[in-house]
Amino acid sequence: MKKQLITYGFCLMCSMVLSQNTSVLVDEGNYYYQTNDYFSSIFYYELALQKDSTLSSIFYSLAESYRQTHQYTKAITFYKKHLVSERSSIHSNTDLFLGMTLKNASAYQQASEVLQRFLDNHLSPSDYWYRKALMELKGCQLALTDTFNANYSVTHLGDSVNSSVSDFAPFVDWQGRLYFSSMQKDDGLAKETYIGHRSKLMVKPPSQDAKVFNVFNDMDYHIANLSFNPDCTEAFFCKCKYNQGALECVIYSSKFLDGFWQNAQALDQRFNPSDATNTHPQWALWNGQEGLFISSDRTGGVGDLDIWFVPFVGYPVHLGNGINTQGKEVTPFYHPLEEVLYFSSDFHPGYGGYDIFQSKWQKDWGLVSHLAKPINSSANDLYYVTQIDSPHLGYFSSNRLGSKTISYESCCNDIYAFEKSEPCVCVAIDSIAKKMQLNLPLSVYFHNDEPNPNTRDSTTTLNYVETYTSYIALKDQYVRQFSSVLAGRAKNQAQSQMRQFFDETVSGGFERLTAFANRLQEILDLGARVELRLKGFTSPLTDTDYNELLAKRRIASVTNYLSAFSDSSLYTYLQNGQLQIYELPLGETQVDMDVSDNPNDKRNSIYSIKASRERRIEIQSIAVEF
């Protein structure tokens, strides 16, 4: 992980740079900003502002430098200055980064407003930054509605472990010794570019203060992420160096033989492909295989850093896009007794930058759930790990308020201990229910007069999967019809819009319905009683009485889908009343007035995006009792 580092030589430079003119200072700041050396860029930008406080050209870069170094209050100030400057239109992501920083500062309501403003001005659902903003907004909503998890108690470890610099990556062995990494002051002999501080391995035996664990430390590398197999006969850790501002890591291992740790060796290409950074190794026995969970940005992932399992015999396994996202998933830890994977992510909706999540293994990875307070905070929370013989005692790292600092609030990580009791099932139900509510209303879509066209039936035996499949098969026909009266650029744009509607709205709706059904099964399996309320919508073709019956058929197809879901596992809950579905058919009574009701104008009444959006079912609300 990139840690807070102090660039060597600032004091020596002060007397030299104070006499330089403003443009030279700005150029220096820009150079360091472009190489991701944000501490150095801040140094020069602040000197430039001392000479000229109106330098709007550096407001955005300075705000970004403050954000990257976790100086949230200062970052917010300069993002706001940039937004009211004459250069505000240059950086289109300013609202996104301002919203993220307000979120880090626990200003969740303000963050929500700014993030919503960004989304309103960037209507590109396929764009990474749009999706990032959406996840950040959902995180704000989660923070504003979540309750404290009373099953966890958290304690800040004192001076026997934590220092004024970053202390992170805890691991506890079977004898109770706590290992971790610390950004210790360097001795000046290292070749590493960032030589102010360098991460070294530390160990704290029971009832003693922490001390340097020199077995694997190397003055030319940052050494971090130490872990062991259960009997401590093999160690795994990372050697990392900065390359053009990015931290590149390689995973090493060492065996304990005849009372000594052997020379560490880099693991093979399955663990360390040469074109990737590979980090956070954690031994695990998972799915019948022994190996390492790691975080890597290798080819084959879905985002920046993804979590992989690399068996000691066999091929690397990507954990899939239920766990991995377009962002960073890091610091995996799998507990074999719980069969739960814990990890941190900056893309799943959470309170802060990185939050800690979990997923249970049951022949496949279950839904990802957020660990809530007090484990998570508005800052960065990482490296969740427990004792191997007890999942109820463990540690994690955080730069939350209350951590010790070398310079400013939130600069540095500290190590925290936690204890958790057996969770009450009602807490789990409440957590899942809130996540389901965050995704409502949930819409799924239909072709014209489907299902069972030209009938006046109020129900259907068809499953929504069938109507969805037949609808998707008409995609090319919709593209042709919607663009049929257009030419040139307008025709191309109409075709693109219709394809996007099918890919993101129709297919996306089905994917969200599947995820909703999975969570519904999980909450029902825990013993909850659930009431769902569905609304039916139609386009305005034909008479109102017919459309009301059509809306009922569409609701029935979704009910059939839920009944048959996962080999009819939900059917029993519908039969015994534990799951109840209420219909609220609306027909065309709330239809958009711009939608054509002319049966002779099929392009607008059937094949237009406006008409297509009206032909839907919405899961409007969920009520849960336990």
Side-chain angles (χ1 to χ4, degrees), residues 191-261:
K191 298 176 183 178
E192 167 66 14
T193 302
Y194 293 78
I195 63 176
H197 287 69
R198 178 171 53 90
S199 64
K200 301 177 182 178
L201 296 175
M202 309 287 290
V203 60
K204 182 195 177 301
S207 304
Q208 298 181 34
D209 288 346
K211 57 187 178 183
V212 177
F213 183 66
N214 272 323
V215 176
F216 304 122
N217 285 325
D218 186 328
M219 67 175 60
D220 292 332
Y221 293 88
H222 295 282
I223 309 297
N225 308 320
L226 178 67
S227 64
F228 299 91
N229 63 353
D231 61 2
C232 293
T233 58
E234 189 168 8
F236 308 94
F237 61 94
C238 294
K239 287 187 174 185
C240 305
K241 272 193 174 184
Y242 278 90
N243 181 13
Q244 297 181 343
L247 193 61
E248 296 180 348
C249 298
V250 175
I251 298 172
Y252 281 71
S253 73
S254 173
K255 294 184 183 296
F256 191 72
L257 298 174
D258 301 323
F260 295 95
W261 287 104

Side-chain angles (χ1 to χ4, degrees), residues 9-21 24-25 43-44 47 51:
F10 273 9
C11 294
L12 295 178
M13 290 188 288
C14 288
S15 61
M16 298 171 59
V17 299
L18 284 171
S19 62
Q20 293 177 340
N21 62 42
V24 172
L25 294 172
F43 175 76
Y44 284 102
L47 287 174
K51 291 177 173 289

Side-chain angles (χ1 to χ4, degrees), residues 606-625:
I606 295 178
Y607 294 104
S608 70
I609 292 177
K610 284 186 177 180
S612 299
R613 287 189 182 279
E614 295 299 329
R615 300 192 297 264
R616 71 189 189 276
I617 291 302
E618 286 185 357
I619 300 178
Q620 282 276 306
S621 65
I622 178 173
V624 178
E625 293 182 359

Side-chain angles (χ1 to χ4, degrees), residues 507-580:
S507 295
F510 181 68
E511 291 172 2
R512 288 186 287 274
L513 177 63
T514 303
F516 185 88
N518 273 310
R519 282 200 164 121
L520 182 62
Q521 179 174 341
E522 186 176 359
I523 204 170
L524 288 165
D525 288 346
L526 289 171
R529 291 184 66 254
V530 179
E531 293 180 0
L532 299 180
R533 294 184 180 273
L534 278 63
K535 283 186 180 180
F537 296 82
T538 71
S539 58
L541 287 174
T542 71
D543 61 80
T544 300
D545 289 343
Y546 182 89
N547 282 338
E548 288 180 354
L549 295 171
L550 175 58
K552 285 178 174 289
R553 295 200 299 274
R554 289 176 174 166
I555 290 175
S557 75
V558 174
T559 302
N560 294 341
Y561 166 81
L562 294 175
S563 296
F565 182 76
S566 186
D567 296 326
S568 302
S569 59
L570 297 183
Y571 180 73
T572 300
Y573 296 125
L574 281 165
Q575 290 294 101
N576 66 19
Q578 191 176 334
L579 172 61
Q580 297 184 10

Side-chain angles (χ1 to χ4, degrees), residues 89-352:
S89 62
I90 295 178
H91 300 285
S92 60
N93 284 347
T94 304
D95 274 339
L96 169 59
F97 296 142
L98 173 58
M100 291 167 59
T101 312
L102 286 165
K103 184 165 167 268
N104 287 135
S106 298
Y108 293 115
Q109 190 59 52
Q110 293 180 57
S112 297
E113 294 167 3
V114 173
L115 291 166
Q116 187 62 61
R117 185 171 69 201
F118 175 85
L119 290 168
D120 291 342
N121 293 327
H122 298 76
L123 296 176
S124 302
S126 60
D127 178 65
Y128 168 81
W129 293 115
Y130 182 92
R131 295 184 180 185
K132 175 66 172 172
L134 189 61
M135 294 301 104
E136 295 290 334
L137 180 59
K138 288 186 176 183
C140 289
Q141 296 168 348
L142 185 68
L144 289 169
T145 58
D146 243 3
T147 56
F148 190 88
N149 188 342
N151 293 306
Y152 278 96
S153 60
V154 170
T155 305
H156 177 264
L157 296 184
D159 294 343
S160 63
V161 171
N162 291 310
S163 63
S164 59
V165 294
S166 272
D167 304 291
F168 60 100
F171 185 89
V172 60
D173 69 13
W174 64 276
Q175 292 181 311
R177 290 173 297 206
L178 176 64
Y179 298 84
F180 61 97
S181 292
S182 183
M183 298 299 295
Q184 295 292 306
K185 184 69 176 176
D186 218 320
D187 53 17
L189 300 177
K191 298 176 183 178
E192 167 66 14
T193 302
Y194 293 78
I195 63 176
H197 287 69
R198 178 171 53 90
S199 64
K200 301 177 182 178
L201 296 175
M202 309 287 290
V203 60
K204 182 195 177 301
S207 304
Q208 298 181 34
D209 288 346
K211 57 187 178 183
V212 177
F213 183 66
N214 272 323
V215 176
F216 304 122
N217 285 325
D218 186 328
M219 67 175 60
D220 292 332
Y221 293 88
H222 295 282
I223 309 297
N225 308 320
L226 178 67
S227 64
F228 299 91
N229 63 353
D231 61 2
C232 293
T233 58
E234 189 168 8
F236 308 94
F237 61 94
C238 294
K239 287 187 174 185
C240 305
K241 272 193 174 184
Y242 278 90
N243 181 13
Q244 297 181 343
L247 193 61
E248 296 180 348
C249 298
V250 175
I251 298 172
Y252 281 71
S253 73
S254 173
K255 294 184 183 296
F256 191 72
L257 298 174
D258 301 323
F260 295 95
W261 287 104
Q262 306 302 296
N263 288 335
Q265 302 293 323
L267 293 177
D268 62 48
Q269 285 289 307
R270 295 175 307 120
F271 298 87
N272 292 308
S274 57
D275 60 345
T277 192
N278 306 280
T279 186
H280 307 143
Q282 284 282 347
W283 179 94
L285 179 62
W286 170 68
N287 201 23
Q289 290 184 295
E290 186 179 356
L292 299 179
F293 282 101
I294 68 170
S295 184
S296 175
D297 61 1
R298 66 185 63 195
T299 302
V302 297
D304 189 335
L305 286 165
D306 283 4
I307 296 175
W308 297 72
F309 179 75
V310 186
F312 295 138
V313 178
Y315 297 100
V317 178
H318 185 261
L319 266 59
N321 57 11
I323 287 175
N324 292 310
T325 69
Q326 289 181 288
K328 296 182 179 71
E329 278 67 50
V330 295
T331 65
F333 173 77
Y334 179 77
H335 202 289
L337 297 181
E338 293 182 302
E339 295 186 301
V340 171
L341 178 75
Y342 298 90
F343 65 97
S344 289
S345 172
D346 69 351
F347 203 88
H348 287 288
Y351 299 156

